[in-house]
Amino acid sequence: MIDRILSSRWALRVLALVLTLVLYSVTTDSTASKTQESGLSLLGNDTEVITGVQVKVLNDSDGIVISGVPSEVTMEVKGSRNVIKAMEQQGDFSVVADLQNVSVGTQIVKLEPTNLPEGIEATVTPAEITVTIQEKITKEFNVEPEISPQLIATGYKSGTPTSDVDKIKVTGPRDTILNITAVKAKVTSEQPLNETTTIKTNLTVLDNNYNKITNVQLSKKSVEITVPISKSGKSIPISLIQKGEPKNNLTISSLTSNVSQVTLEGDEKELDKIKSLEVPVDVSDVSDVSGNIIKKVNIQVPDGIKLVSAPTINVTIRTGEKVNNVREETNEQNEEVIESSEKKATDTNTEAENNTTDEATTSDSETENKETNTSSETTE
């Protein structure tokens, strides 16, 4: 039968007509679809992803603290490109977290886009968030001034720093406030302090683990800290002591230092015992006859005493040539001894002679007296 149909001229014409109508229908639908898409494109419909959309929290209660709400989210919008661009320029995109009727605890809240023009659709990412609602409380804390020892200049010490505000009020979530361990006022300075100074500094709130807390409100963000500064320790003069002998037949003519005294810290009674600090200067390695040699010397202090000033000093060593006059000096000394001995001997002999003469004179006088007495007795 199919062969008859295919062999019939009219049957072939009808079949061709049917095929033509089918092809026309398909082509018309495709063109219409493209035309529709082209029309939509001409209208400017588009899909865009907007980042950094602000989240607004709706809540009128002043007695609670809400945490867990992101400050920004991402929004995908669909609609007229011109409308979307206009909204972007005016910053009209916004998302709301409705927390009007919430209670203390943790709960899930939806994020909803708001103020969308007709024909604009939006999807927020994330669509839901988990928030924590806590009771808001206020507690008073002592302000604790804090200063690093490195800020104090050498030779000075600090007293107890004081603040112009003794106590500060901190407001925040109950759990956070109860976890506060200290409110610190840390003193900072670009230069070492060598006089009493007042410095303005910000307050830092620390938890039990000494981590910084930021989600709280302070009744005052900064305070003025006064740091009393005074001289530290006692100034002691130094005495340079030569240690050893120089080389190359040299002598040390003088030892001088770039400082004349050092500052020591320690027990007052022990410091009172120290009138001067001896600093040995080893010259056993000195061999230069040029004149002036500068050597770094470490300062040693007694046990229990702290050296506040620099631990080293510069010592200038002046040298000179040694003169070999030992024999001459010895001879001169011997001559002086001989002269002294001879003088003593001469003095001794002279004294002996004088004594002999005196004795002889005395004896003669006595003899004459005896003879006179005898003559007188005879005459009688």
Side-chain angles (χ1 to χ4, degrees), residues 208-261:
N208 292 333
N209 296 320
Y210 285 88
N211 296 317
K212 187 176 180 180
I213 297 176
T214 58
N215 63 327
V216 292
Q217 298 176 346
L218 305 179
S219 59
K220 195 173 183 179
K221 293 183 179 180
S222 62
V223 295
E224 290 186 348
I225 303 299
T226 300
V227 184
I229 303 294
S230 60
K231 284 192 173 181
S232 173
K234 179 182 178 182
S235 295
I236 304 294
I238 63 173
S239 175
L240 302 178
I241 306 299
Q242 177 179 332
K243 179 182 177 182
E245 294 294 333
K247 299 178 180 179
N248 298 336
N249 203 32
L250 297 178
T251 60
I252 303 300
S253 59
S254 66
L255 299 173
T256 57
S257 170
N258 62 323
V259 297
S260 60
Q261 59 186 13

Side-chain angles (χ1 to χ4, degrees), residues 346-362:
T346 302
D347 293 341
T348 301
N349 292 333
T350 302
E351 183 178 359
E353 291 175 358
N354 292 336
N355 291 336
T356 302
T357 303
D358 292 340
E359 290 177 358
T361 302
T362 302

Side-chain angles (χ1 to χ4, degrees), residues 95 162 266 317 338 366 369:
V95 173
T162 58
I317 305 173
I338 294 171
E366 290 177 353
N369 290 334

Side-chain angles (χ1 to χ4, degrees), residues 69-288:
V69 179
S71 59
E72 297 177 350
V73 292
T74 300
M75 179 188 296
E76 183 181 85
V77 293
K78 296 180 181 180
S80 170
R81 183 184 297 112
N82 293 334
V83 175
I84 294 174
K85 291 297 182 184
M87 293 181 68
E88 283 182 317
Q89 292 176 357
Q90 297 176 9
D92 287 342
F93 291 110
S94 63
V95 173
V96 169
D98 190 354
L99 299 171
Q100 294 285 7
N101 300 312
V102 292
S103 57
V104 174
T106 301
Q107 50 193 285
I108 297 176
V109 178
K110 290 184 177 182
L111 297 180
E112 300 286 350
T114 59
N115 300 325
L116 293 178
E118 185 177 353
I120 299 295
E121 298 179 356
T123 303
V124 180
T125 303
E128 295 179 340
I129 58 173
T130 300
V131 298
T132 301
I133 313 299
Q134 293 189 56
E135 178 187 0
K136 181 190 290 185
I137 65 172
T138 299
K139 191 176 179 181
E140 198 171 54
F141 295 89
N142 292 326
V143 175
E144 300 180 15
E146 188 177 59
I147 183 170
S148 172
Q150 283 72 26
L151 289 181
I152 310 302
T154 301
Y156 294 84
K157 63 181 179 180
S158 68
T160 302
T162 58
S163 171
D164 63 335
V165 177
D166 294 331
K167 295 182 180 294
I168 200 81
K169 291 182 178 180
V170 185
T171 301
R174 181 181 182 84
D175 292 349
T176 301
I177 298 298
L178 296 180
N179 196 36
I180 294 176
T181 188
V183 177
K184 297 285 188 179
K186 188 174 183 179
V187 177
T188 58
S189 175
E190 295 181 356
Q191 300 294 332
L193 304 179
N194 58 8
E195 61 181 359
T196 299
T197 309
T198 298
I199 299 175
K200 188 175 183 179
T201 183
N202 293 329
L203 293 171
T204 302
V205 182
L206 303 175
D207 63 14
N208 292 333
N209 296 320
Y210 285 88
N211 296 317
K212 187 176 180 180
I213 297 176
T214 58
N215 63 327
V216 292
Q217 298 176 346
L218 305 179
S219 59
K220 195 173 183 179
K221 293 183 179 180
S222 62
V223 295
E224 290 186 348
I225 303 299
T226 300
V227 184
I229 303 294
S230 60
K231 284 192 173 181
S232 173
K234 179 182 178 182
S235 295
I236 304 294
I238 63 173
S239 175
L240 302 178
I241 306 299
Q242 177 179 332
K243 179 182 177 182
E245 294 294 333
K247 299 178 180 179
N248 298 336
N249 203 32
L250 297 178
T251 60
I252 303 300
S253 59
S254 66
L255 299 173
T256 57
S257 170
N258 62 323
V259 297
S260 60
Q261 59 186 13
V262 293
T263 303
L264 304 180
E265 278 186 351
D267 183 75
E268 292 186 5
K269 293 182 179 179
E270 295 298 323
L271 289 177
D272 290 339
K273 297 178 183 178
I274 303 175
K275 303 305 178 183
S276 67
L277 186 66
E278 292 187 352
V279 180
V281 180
D282 188 3
V283 298
S284 59
D285 58 346
V286 174
S287 59
D288 190 356

